[in-house]
Amino acid sequence: MADTAEQKKSTHRRRVRLLPPPAWWPLPAAALLGLAAGGAYGVLKAPEYAATSYVVAVPDDTTEPATALGFAQAYARIATSSSTLAYAQPRAGVGVRKLRTQVRAETSPESPMIAITGTSKSAGEAADIANAVADALSLSSNQAAKNTGVQLLLFNQAVAPSDPASASPTLSGAVGLCAGGLLGGLWLLARPAARRRDEAGVAAPVVETVEEYASLPAQGEPAAAKEKESVR
């Protein structure tokens, strides 16, 4: 009876024992971890606003339109230079070093228009930065308009945006979910095949090789001995 009770206890313990996790558990775990990290980043990071001002290069009567297009490309490169930002600093209310990280200029190879974008955690400050740099660029370029035959005119002023340009917490969480799932899938693919077989409970076949070596007579052995060996 005691043996029977002990057998029941051991059987019950084997039943209560938890099953090992499936082999694909890193995939959902990494996806959930990425979702949590992306959502937390979107919630904790302060929103960033972007405002854009546009200036256009206009040729005079003696200048060809293609020349204005080339000067627009050149002026876009000097929009973030130290001299232009020094002109824009008083109106923008931001130092030159910080202003350089909060403004960018873009242009198109097909249009003589320059887009100057200011970024900031404040919507009003972003618009002020874009307008200040646009005015400074127009002022500095128009001083040489008599020699170049091209002047910059303000096409559209920047206004304070109502919505932030940075990603929302929902979008950040979705990006984190995709990134985590991708990393989890890559980790599953990068694991050794033997480890995947062990986790799946499949034993690798064992192949035994038996090598047979023919016995050869040693050198110097008499011919009679060799014949006896051959008869045997």
Side-chain angles (χ1 to χ4, degrees), residues 165-216:
S166 56
S168 62
T170 303
L171 182 59
S172 299
V175 173
L177 176 66
C178 296
L182 178 61
L183 293 177
L186 292 176
W187 189 85
L188 288 176
L189 294 176
R191 290 186 309 167
R195 185 176 179 182
R196 291 200 297 267
R197 287 197 301 266
D198 293 341
E199 291 182 355
V202 179
V206 179
V207 180
E208 295 182 357
T209 57
V210 178
E211 297 181 355
E212 297 180 355
Y213 297 92
S215 58
L216 299 176

Side-chain angles (χ1 to χ4, degrees), residues 23-39:
W24 46 266
W25 70 266
L27 182 60
L32 291 177
L33 182 61
L35 175 63

Side-chain angles (χ1 to χ4, degrees), residues 33-135:
L33 182 61
L35 175 63
Y41 176 79
V43 171
L44 297 178
K45 185 186 178 185
E48 189 176 66
Y49 295 88
T52 304
S53 179
Y54 296 92
V55 293
V56 60
V58 179
D60 57 16
D61 297 336
T62 61
T63 305
E64 297 181 356
T67 304
L69 183 61
F71 273 100
Q73 302 289 331
Y75 286 137
R77 294 186 182 92
I78 65 174
T80 56
S81 62
S82 299
S83 58
T84 305
L85 297 181
Y87 277 115
Q89 179 183 358
R91 180 178 176 182
V94 181
V96 174
R97 291 184 179 179
K98 187 178 180 182
L99 187 60
R100 184 176 286 108
T101 62
Q102 293 181 257
V103 66
R104 65 178 184 270
E106 299 173 348
T107 186
S108 171
E110 300 177 355
S111 174
M113 187 174 292
I114 304 172
I116 300 174
T117 303
T119 58
S120 176
K121 296 180 180 179
S122 171
E125 186 179 45
D128 292 339
I129 290 174
N131 291 327
V133 175
D135 290 342

Side-chain angles (χ1 to χ4, degrees), residues 1-23:
M1 296 294 293
D3 295 340
T4 304
E6 290 294 334
Q7 292 177 359
K8 290 182 178 180
K9 290 181 179 180
S10 61
T11 303
H12 179 69
R13 290 174 182 173
R14 287 196 297 268
R15 291 177 180 177
V16 174
R17 186 180 301 171
L18 297 177
L19 296 176

Side-chain angles (χ1 to χ4, degrees), residues 145-174:
K146 293 182 179 180
N147 298 327
T148 60
V150 177
Q151 61 177 348
L152 290 182
L153 299 179
L154 182 62
F155 184 80
N156 187 21
Q157 281 191 339
V159 295
S162 57
D163 297 326
S166 56
S168 62
T170 303
L171 182 59
S172 299

